[in-house]
Amino acid sequence: MEKTYSKQEIIDQAKELAKMIAETEEVDFFKRAELQINDNLRVQEIIAQIKSLQKEAVNLQHYQKTEGLKAVEDKIDELQDELDQIPLVREFKQTQIDVNQLLQLVSTTISNTVTDEIIKSAGGDLLKGTTTKSPFHSGDCH
């Protein structure tokens, strides 16, 4: 007989998996890149300017000042472009993508494995992805 797991056992295993993920090369790169971003004065200045302009944009939008809003949004785009040209920022964004891909891979693997286990335990067909044999597709031509 197969073992049945409690929700808590599954949560505990998920926490263990999360700790393992946190100790991967991808997450290590991410943490190091984030520290460098936080220590880079120019990057922090640009981020602060963008945040300030975003607040200004919200106020302009609230008061329906469309011309002023457009000018502020253009300045935000300009600063964002400047930020994106900094190699350190590009590296940081790539590490974010890498970590997200790893998390997506883990999520997809779990989802697919659960589905496969359900199909197998129900005597289904993994290739067809069905849990029971359908009487409508028996191969007979009546």
Side-chain angles (χ1 to χ4, degrees):
M1 182 170 167
E2 292 183 32
K3 179 176 177 11
T4 303
Y5 295 93
S6 70
K7 276 187 185 177
Q8 190 56 53
E9 288 173 310
I10 293 169
I11 298 296
D12 292 344
Q13 287 295 308
K15 288 178 180 178
E16 189 60 35
L17 180 59
K19 287 179 187 176
M20 290 172 65
I21 291 169
E23 294 174 12
T24 61
E25 194 173 291
E26 291 87 350
V27 173
D28 186 52
F29 283 149
F30 174 81
K31 289 189 282 191
R32 284 189 281 139
E34 187 174 35
L35 286 173
Q36 289 178 322
I37 288 279
N38 291 336
D39 288 343
N40 187 297
L41 188 59
R42 181 63 189 140
V43 170
Q44 292 307 311
E45 286 173 353
I46 295 171
I47 290 171
Q49 286 179 302
I50 290 172
K51 286 180 179 179
S52 175
L53 288 168
Q54 286 171 333
K55 288 178 185 174
E56 188 177 335
V58 168
N59 286 333
L60 290 168
Q61 188 173 22
H62 177 73
Y63 292 109
Q64 300 175 346
K65 305 280 188 182
T66 53
E67 287 181 26
L69 178 59
K70 173 83 173 96
V72 169
E73 287 174 340
D74 289 346
K75 182 63 178 165
I76 290 171
D77 289 343
E78 189 180 301
L79 287 168
Q80 189 63 55
D81 289 344
E82 182 180 343
L83 196 58
D84 290 342
Q85 294 306 311
I86 299 171
L88 179 61
V89 172
R90 285 201 304 267
E91 182 181 312
F92 177 70
K93 286 184 173 187
Q94 183 59 52
T95 64
Q96 283 181 309
I97 290 167
D98 293 345
V99 170
N100 284 334
Q101 286 175 338
L102 175 62
L103 292 172
Q104 187 61 48
L105 177 62
V106 169
S107 176
T108 301
T109 301
I110 290 170
S111 177
N112 290 345
T113 304
V114 169
T115 299
D116 290 352
E117 289 299 317
I118 290 169
I119 291 169
K120 285 193 285 190
S121 69
D125 185 334
L126 278 176
L127 292 176
K128 292 181 181 173
T130 57
T131 54
T132 58
K133 298 192 181 348
S134 172
F136 301 110
H137 297 81
S138 62
D140 295 337
C141 296
H142 289 119

